[in-house]
Amino acid sequence: DETDVTFSIGKLIDEAVCQPLVKTAEAAAAKVVEKGQETITSLNESAAGSDDSESDGDTGSNSIKRRRLGEMVPLVPLVEAWWEEQPGDPTTKLFVLFSEMADLRRRAIQLLK
């Protein structure tokens, strides 16, 4: 009785390495986006609080900052669309995403100064 056993190293690597890596990268990207949105919300709230506490009447710049942050489109759909459109290695895409989120955070903080 002979039993045919087939083995595909490519399939094994895909199932054992690639698919879990993609799932992990997608989950990490979703967490980064969620954290970015929380940061933006927090910045909006602190800008609103500083508008309310201004007594010299110069609230124009703070209201502009709050308006600009408030007008940002939700990041999750943008990141998901970008992730699907971009070819290449998930690790590289995750690095690019982290870099862009850090830059977005830096620019948001700069706008609130």
Side-chain angles (χ1 to χ4, degrees):
D1 231 351
E2 279 189 36
T3 306
D4 261 346
V5 177
T6 59
F7 178 75
S8 168
I9 190 73
K11 185 176 178 182
L12 176 67
I13 291 173
D14 181 53
E15 290 175 357
V17 178
C18 297
Q19 290 178 14
L21 180 61
V22 168
K23 287 179 183 176
T24 301
E26 288 173 344
K31 286 181 183 178
V32 167
V33 169
E34 181 181 333
K35 183 67 175 170
Q37 287 178 324
E38 288 172 3
T39 301
I40 289 169
T41 300
S42 171
L43 292 171
N44 278 336
E45 289 169 357
S46 63
S50 66
D51 277 351
D52 295 340
S53 64
E54 297 268 343
S55 60
D56 62 359
D58 184 22
T59 60
S61 63
N62 282 336
S63 63
I64 290 170
K65 291 173 193 171
R66 188 178 74 242
R67 180 183 55 80
R68 286 183 183 163
L69 289 173
E71 288 177 357
M72 289 186 67
V73 294
L75 293 176
V76 172
L78 291 174
V79 171
E80 288 174 345
W82 174 83
W83 191 274
E84 292 299 320
E85 290 171 3
Q86 298 302 312
D89 173 46
T91 304
T92 303
K93 291 194 290 188
L94 188 59
F95 175 76
V96 169
L97 180 64
F98 282 145
S99 297
E100 289 299 316
M101 293 301 295
D103 187 51
L104 177 63
R105 182 177 188 275
R106 180 191 57 77
R107 286 185 283 154
I109 289 170
Q110 204 171 33
L111 285 171
L112 291 173
K113 287 185 177 179

